[in-house]
Structure formats: structure tokens, C-alpha cells
Amino acid sequence: MQWRSIVVGLVVLRLSVSCVLWLAFGLGSNVSWGFNFHLSFNLHKLDLLFREEKGTDQRNNAWSQRIQGHTYEETASTCAKVGDESLKRSYLNLFDGNKDEYVRRYSSFPDTLKVKMKDMAKEMFYFGYDNYMKYAFPEDELNPIDCEGRGPDVLNPSNININDVLGNYSLTLIDTLDTLLVLGNVTEFQRAVKLVIDTVSFDKDSTVQVFEANIRILGSLISAHILLTDPKHPFGEVGFEGYDNELLHLAHDLAVRLLPAFENTSTGIPYPRVNLKTGVPLDSINETCTAGAGSLLVEFGILSRLIGDSTFEWVARRAVRALWNLRSNETGLLGNVVNIQTGQWVGKQSGLGAGMDSFYEYLLKSYILFGEKEDYKMFQAAYESIQNHLRRGRESCNEGEGDPPLYVNVNMFSGEIMNTWIDSLQAFFPGLQVLNGDVDNAICLHAFYYAIWKRFGALPERYNWQLQAPDVLFYPLRPELVESTYLLYQATKNPFYLHVGMDILQSLEKDAKVRCGYATLHHVVDKSKEDRMESFFLSETCKYLYLLFDEDNPLHKSDNKYIFTTEGHVVPIDKRFREKQWNEFPCEEGALTKAEPNNWALNNTSNCNRIPEERRYALPLKSVYMRQIDHMVGLF
């Protein structure tokens, strides 16, 4: 009986200590003290037990201090090996508990489950596509709740949310052409191409955004034309008798109708919108975003090299140079909104999301496609500025102390944080980091966005990392997180990313599926819906989900290499796109004339080394850091 009394005494003592800590420091759920109940904790209160409160530089490695209002210093070196004493004091130790749950969940993915998810992604695509063709074609989009088509809002020309995208030109059909080939449906691809040739005209009184028309329509027409005519394409015999470059002619016609945007602008930066019949509207504004004006080079450049006319690449490249020359001399950063006549920055926010995202993406992808050294030099300089001024958190993704890496919105001139939200478009950036070879940073940033997805079953359009809550609640079925997941899986072959894809796929099936398709989530918490299925859901979201699980897809097996445009359209990395039928473009004052050697191999889509074999079946991010990120988005 004596030993029982001792055990009871120890239990009572342990409970007493736990209660004292809970009362004194706000400890409370998810720290287990060896029993079946949990007491939660306040991370920053406990961390203050071990550290002196000091002022810190705004770019230190603890951005989450803003959540709690503390300014305490992390360990001096994030790269140095942490000693035993530091480990005892490290707040990261608080996340070591239950780390095996991550290993158990993510370390394997059976082949049978992979096949099931591939089939599920294919069914998702066809449920949306078939219903678009049945209820909406030839209109631009499908309203999946009412099972009706949607075109431009002619009664309200100021409704740019609709009219920037919808031009009365069968947008969804055109945008999904190459997805049909990726899914192996040659018959439907050929039928869809013939429908486009027979029914689509751009001679329309439609005012559209130059950027959207370029990436969704022009890019898809060019991609489908290349896949139809390229003898080295990976999808088998997809050409058909009588095809006479009609898709290329349509692409050329559209690009000519977009050219007026580049006229009568003193900077060379284009107007944001054009009327396809009459040119730039008389009431057009003189302000445009950096991404909208600076993300035309891939499509315009390919078109120029296909038809031997330098005009399109020249105007697109001039716009990129003009934006680049307006960057801050202090930080090297660009703003997000500029006046095309004065060159003055109207929006001084510099970030990686809306208004900025594809500008950086196309600097790198233009270099991969065209081999122009100027593009890579600009990308390298931009990436260095991003790392220096936007990146917060610990220096190393998978080692050291501090908060996980996060890219914040800052003032382009001072580098000071302007707000405490990030947006869902920024989730593309890990994929771009993979292409640039920075896989470790890609792993960390992707994990942060995945944690947000796990919490809400979707990505809110804006997420406030200070409040740990959405600022803008809707989710229009965007592809960016899926795209980065796919590219990280290609780089690492880690089954973790298959689990991420499965979570996304199952969330969409559960929360977005409606009578005739998949609907925009109006509210990521209560899952209320809007009656809209944007074309990028079929052209990108479904495509990347399918490719993630289709190891044997011809794109993965082909000897030739391919890259995706910002709208997910497949284009080959082909030496003919590195050959010009004209002299070099003149460099304007301030443009870059010197560059690093062109060391990007034509037969490679990325300069990254794949993750070593021994790391492929461990978690890409250590359990302690995954648990830390989950905590910081409010998962526990």
C-alpha cells in the first residue's frame, strides 16, 4: 500500500505544479503533461521567462512578435549549431511533442491512393468542363449553381471584376485547350480546337484587361498551336487534316488588337485596358499595376518568334525595362501601381502577391525560354532585394531559432512593413523558388500556406498574420498553392506533397462542388458560395492536381522539357525560341547591358538540384517547425 500512496502523492504534486504554471503564465490546450487532458500555453509569455526584453531590428527573425506585441531577441545566430543550454531554453522545444503525428501522416503515399486521386482530379475537371459545354458555351464562363452561361456585364461597364476578364470570346473553352491534352483526351482536344476556329472572333465591342486577355486567351491559343504542330510534342498524334495555323492567326489578331495599349504612353508602360474593336477607351485611367504591365513578355515573345515579327516582343520588353528603371535606388524594390504617363508610383507597396506576382515570375521564365541574359540579371537583382527587404523569420528554413520565413508587404523606398496581411496569390512564389533552385525556402513558405489551407479548407484572399484571421474571406478556386505543391513534388518526390494535393482535392470536392460545377467560396469559414467558376479552375487548378498524381504523364516522360505560363499553359523549352529573325533590341538608358553567362541548360526546366535521396522520405520540413507553423496560423 505504501507504493500506491507514493504514486498518488506524485500525481497530486504534478497536477499542482501544472495548475500553478497555468495560473501564472496563461498556459492552457495542447501541452500534455502526461495525462489524458491538455493544458494550453501562451508561447510568448513562456519564452519571456528565458529572454531579456530588448529592442530589435525590424528585419529580425521573429515577425510573430507583432502578434503579441513583444520585442524580444532571438538567438544571435540562426545558422550556428544550437548548444544544449539553448535547446533547453528554446521555445521551439515546446513544439517537439507529438511530432510523430506528422511522420505518421505524411511519410508515405500508396500507389493505389495515387491512382484514386488522379481519377478524382480527372473527374473534377470533366464535371466542370462538361457542364460548361452543356449549359454555358459559347459564353465565357459557367455559373455552376444556376447552370447558366455568363458573359460581359454590358449593363454595367464599370464592373471590372467581370468585364476585365470576360470578352465574349468563349473564354473557358479556349483557356482549357491544353488541359484536354494533359488529360490524354485527343479527340475532345481536336473537337474543341475546331469549335474555336469556327466560332471565335475578336472583332467585338468588348473592353478587356490587356493582362487577362494575354495570359488566358493569347497564351492558350499559342500553346495549343505549338502542341498541334510540334513534331516533338509528347501527346502522340494530335494534329488533324486541314489545320492551317488558324490558332496562330487568331493569336496574332488578338495581339494586334492589344497593341493600342502601348501607344500614347510617355513611359512605354501600357494602358491597363483596350476595347477590342476601337482601342484604348477615351475615359481610360493612367494607372496600372506592375504585374499587369510587366507580365506580357512570355506570350508576346513567343508570338514574335513564331511569326518573325519583333513588334510584340519589343513593346512587352520595353514595358519591363521601363518598370525596372523606376525601382527604388535604396532598396531595389518596385511598387505595385504606377502612373503610365509620369512614371510616378501611385502604390508604393512592394510584395509578392496581387499587382506584383507575375512580374517576377516572367523575368525568370522569359530567360528560361528566350535565353536573354538581361532577363536573368533583372531577376537575380529582384530576388536579392526580395530576400533582403521582404523576408522575415529565421535565416534557415530547417535549422535554427526564430519564426518561420515569411514574405511581408513593405514600403518600396524604406523597406518598412506597410500592413500585416498576405494574399493567396503569393502562394505561387514557392514554385518560382523551385525554378530558381531555392528549394529550402520554397519548402518553408509553402508549409505556411498549407497550414492556412488546413485551418480553413481553402485559402482566403487575404490572411492577416498578426490577427491569425482572414481579412478578405472569399476563395475563387485559385491554383497558386496547387501549382507550388506540384513543382515541389517534382523537385523532391516527397510524399508529403501528395498528401497536400489530396487535402486540397478533397476540400474542393466537399466544399465547392455544386449542381453544375465548382463554385467560388464567398466565405472560407461558413463555406457560403458565389455563382461563378472562373476559367483558371479548369486551366490550372485541375491541371496541376492531375499532374501531381500522374507520374506517367507524357509531360513527365518526354525527352523534351516544358514550362508553364502564369495561366498554366504548356510551352516547350525550344531552341527556336532562342533564335531571332531580327537584330538585338536596343537597350534604352538605364537598361541592363551586362549579364551573367547564360548557364541555363536548354534541356532543363530548373537549375535546382533535387533533394538528396535520403531526405525524400523524411518530412521536407522537420516536425518541430511544422508544428510551429500550425500553431502560428491558429490550428492549435
Side-chain angles (χ1 to χ4, degrees):
M1 296 297 293
Q2 186 177 9
W3 65 269
R4 291 183 182 177
S5 300
I6 294 172
V7 170
V8 171
L10 289 172
V11 169
V12 171
L13 178 62
R14 192 165 189 178
L15 280 170
S16 301
V17 172
S18 300
C19 290
V20 168
L21 287 172
W22 182 76
L23 291 170
F25 303 113
L27 303 175
S29 64
N30 297 308
V31 172
S32 173
W33 298 90
F35 303 98
N36 291 328
F37 63 91
H38 296 276
L39 295 173
S40 67
F41 63 90
N42 183 314
L43 166 66
H44 298 276
K45 285 185 180 179
L46 189 60
D47 200 21
L48 285 171
L49 289 173
F50 305 129
R51 305 177 189 279
E52 295 180 4
E53 195 164 273
K54 299 178 181 179
T56 56
D57 183 83
Q58 65 171 338
R59 287 183 295 276
N60 65 20
N61 62 344
W63 52 264
S64 71
Q65 293 166 6
R66 291 174 172 263
I67 297 174
Q68 301 292 334
H70 296 301
T71 54
Y72 55 89
E73 187 175 335
E74 297 291 349
T75 52
S77 173
T78 60
C79 291
K81 187 174 181 180
V82 182
D84 291 339
E85 184 64 20
S86 297
L87 282 172
K88 291 178 183 177
R89 296 183 173 188
S90 168
Y91 79 82
L92 288 173
N93 280 4
L94 296 168
F95 299 108
D96 269 332
N98 299 322
K99 64 182 179 182
D100 287 344
E101 68 185 81
Y102 293 91
V103 176
R104 286 194 300 270
R105 179 176 179 186
Y106 296 117
S107 61
S108 65
F109 202 92
D111 288 341
T112 53
L113 187 56
K114 195 183 299 183
V115 172
K116 181 180 178 181
M117 291 300 105
K118 182 181 78 169
D119 291 343
M120 189 173 174
K122 178 184 283 190
E123 290 170 6
M124 178 175 286
F125 170 82
Y126 281 116
F127 186 69
Y129 176 80
D130 290 345
N131 279 306
Y132 165 77
M133 296 302 296
K134 180 178 180 179
Y135 295 109
F137 175 79
E139 294 192 71
D140 288 309
E141 288 180 350
L142 169 68
N143 289 350
I145 296 175
D146 289 340
C147 302
E148 295 176 349
R150 179 199 291 266
D153 187 352
V154 295
L155 298 179
N156 183 14
S158 64
N159 184 5
I160 59 175
N161 181 50
I162 297 296
N163 293 330
D164 273 0
V165 178
L166 309 189
N168 195 22
Y169 39 35
S170 301
L171 169 65
T172 297
L173 178 63
I174 294 176
D175 209 5
T176 57
L177 288 175
D178 66 322
T179 308
L180 291 166
L181 278 186
V182 168
L183 269 63
N185 196 339
V186 175
T187 301
E188 182 61 20
F189 169 75
Q190 293 174 338
R191 187 179 84 92
V193 167
K194 292 173 183 177
L195 275 175
V196 170
I197 292 171
D198 293 340
T199 65
V200 172
S201 168
F202 298 121
D203 189 25
K204 300 287 179 65
D205 185 20
S206 298
T207 298
V208 296
Q209 192 184 83
V210 175
F211 169 76
E212 295 289 359
N214 172 66
I215 66 170
R216 300 203 199 197
I217 300 292
L218 184 62
S220 186
L221 292 171
I222 290 171
S223 171
H225 167 75
I226 293 171
L227 295 173
L228 269 169
T229 58
D230 185 355
K232 296 181 291 185
H233 65 72
F235 298 110
E237 191 58 47
V238 304
F240 55 86
E241 186 177 352
Y243 178 72
D244 190 24
N245 299 327
E246 288 93 344
L247 295 184
L248 183 60
H249 297 323
L250 279 171
H252 185 199
D253 177 50
L254 176 60
V256 169
R257 295 173 187 273
L258 298 179
L259 280 180
F262 296 87
E263 300 170 1
N264 301 315
T265 160
S266 59
T267 61
I269 301 170
Y271 286 91
R273 298 174 183 87
V274 296
N275 182 286
L276 295 177
K277 189 183 284 285
T278 62
V280 176
L282 295 177
D283 60 351
S284 180
I285 61 174
N286 289 324
E287 296 172 3
T288 191
C289 69
T290 302
S295 305
L296 308 171
L297 186 51
V298 166
E299 291 83 2
F300 273 42
I302 293 175
L303 178 63
S304 278
R305 293 170 193 240
L306 284 174
I307 67 176
D309 182 350
S310 66
T311 301
F312 306 99
E313 183 173 344
W314 185 79
V315 295
R317 190 169 291 281
R318 182 181 63 172
V320 172
R321 288 172 175 169
L323 288 164
W324 183 251
N325 290 334
L326 295 175
R327 69 195 187 280
S328 166
N329 291 329
E330 296 297 322
T331 65
L333 297 172
L334 292 82
N336 59 342
V337 181
V338 67
N339 186 299
I340 66 172
Q341 302 297 351
T342 66
Q344 296 296 309
W345 289 105
V346 179
K348 300 176 178 62
Q349 176 177 299
S350 192
L352 298 177
M356 302 287 297
D357 49 355
S358 52
F359 175 79
Y360 301 119
E361 178 185 0
Y362 269 22
L363 290 179
L364 182 58
K365 289 184 176 179
S366 294
Y367 172 66
I368 296 171
L369 284 169
F370 307 131
E372 297 287 347
K373 299 172 184 178
E374 174 189 9
D375 297 333
Y376 192 48
K377 187 72 173 180
M378 285 188 285
F379 176 78
Q380 285 181 308
Y383 195 76
E384 182 178 354
S385 294
I386 288 168
Q387 295 298 101
N388 288 339
H389 298 286
L390 272 62
R391 189 184 186 280
R392 300 295 193 273
R394 61 179 174 269
E395 184 174 338
S396 176
C397 170
N398 242 337
E399 298 290 341
E401 289 292 297
D403 292 335
L406 181 71
Y407 294 83
V408 299
N409 299 318
V410 304
N411 181 288
M412 64 173 290
F413 297 109
S414 67
E416 295 178 353
I417 294 179
M418 291 189 68
N419 49 59
T420 58
W421 54 259
I422 52 179
D423 67 48
S424 64
L425 288 168
Q426 185 185 317
F428 93 98
F429 198 65
L432 188 64
Q433 290 179 307
V434 168
L435 289 182
N436 191 44
D438 192 358
V439 178
D440 272 347
N441 268 314
I443 285 170
C444 255
L445 185 58
H446 174 274
F448 192 85
Y449 274 93
Y450 174 48
I452 299 172
W453 184 284
K454 284 192 294 183
R455 181 177 173 191
F456 298 105
L459 278 187
E461 192 71 353
R462 285 184 183 175
Y463 175 80
N464 192 308
W465 46 262
Q466 182 180 50
L467 302 177
Q468 298 184 4
D471 273 355
V472 179
L473 287 154
F474 72 90
Y475 169 64
L477 313 180
R478 291 198 188 279
E480 284 76 16
L481 179 60
V482 187
E483 175 188 7
S484 289
T485 302
Y486 165 68
L487 291 171
L488 272 163
Y489 180 67
Q490 289 300 307
T492 66
K493 293 301 180 183
N494 194 299
F496 170 80
Y497 296 105
L498 298 176
H499 284 277
V500 176
M502 181 172 68
D503 283 354
I504 294 171
L505 193 54
Q506 291 175 336
S507 294
L508 291 171
E509 191 70 17
K510 174 177 175 286
D511 297 323
K513 190 173 185 178
V514 292
R515 186 157 62 108
C516 291
Y518 294 83
T520 292
L521 293 183
H522 175 74
H523 195 295
V524 296
V525 178
D526 67 23
K527 302 300 188 290
S528 56
K529 298 171 181 63
E530 296 179 16
D531 197 8
R532 187 176 187 187
M533 186 178 79
E534 294 226 34
S535 65
F536 53 65
F537 174 69
L538 298 180
S539 71
E540 296 185 82
T541 308
C542 291
K543 178 186 291 168
Y544 288 127
L545 282 169
Y546 181 80
L547 285 171
L548 176 64
F549 297 107
D550 187 16
E551 296 277 5
D552 297 324
N553 193 275
L555 278 182
H556 301 148
K557 298 294 185 180
S558 173
D559 291 335
N560 301 301
K561 300 299 178 183
Y562 295 82
I563 200 166
F564 298 94
T565 70
T566 195
E567 186 71 9
H569 297 306
V570 178
V571 292
I573 300 175
D574 194 317
K575 67 178 181 180
R576 62 179 163 156
F577 296 144
R578 297 195 170 198
E579 298 170 354
K580 301 191 293 280
Q581 301 175 35
W582 54 83
N583 294 327
E584 294 293 321
F585 296 112
C587 281
E588 300 171 7
E589 184 179 356
L592 293 163
T593 56
K594 296 181 181 180
E596 298 298 321
N598 183 353
N599 57 4
W600 199 293
L602 254 180
N603 63 349
N604 200 346
T605 58
S606 169
N607 68 352
C608 69
N609 295 317
R610 285 198 169 186
I611 295 296
E613 186 72 32
E614 61 271 15
R615 279 187 59 189
R616 287 196 189 171
Y617 294 99
L619 291 173
L621 188 63
K622 293 175 183 176
S623 293
V624 62
Y625 296 126
M626 281 197 181
R627 192 167 177 81
Q628 178 197 28
I629 290 174
D630 284 353
H631 170 79
M632 287 182 167
V633 302
L635 273 170
F636 65 88

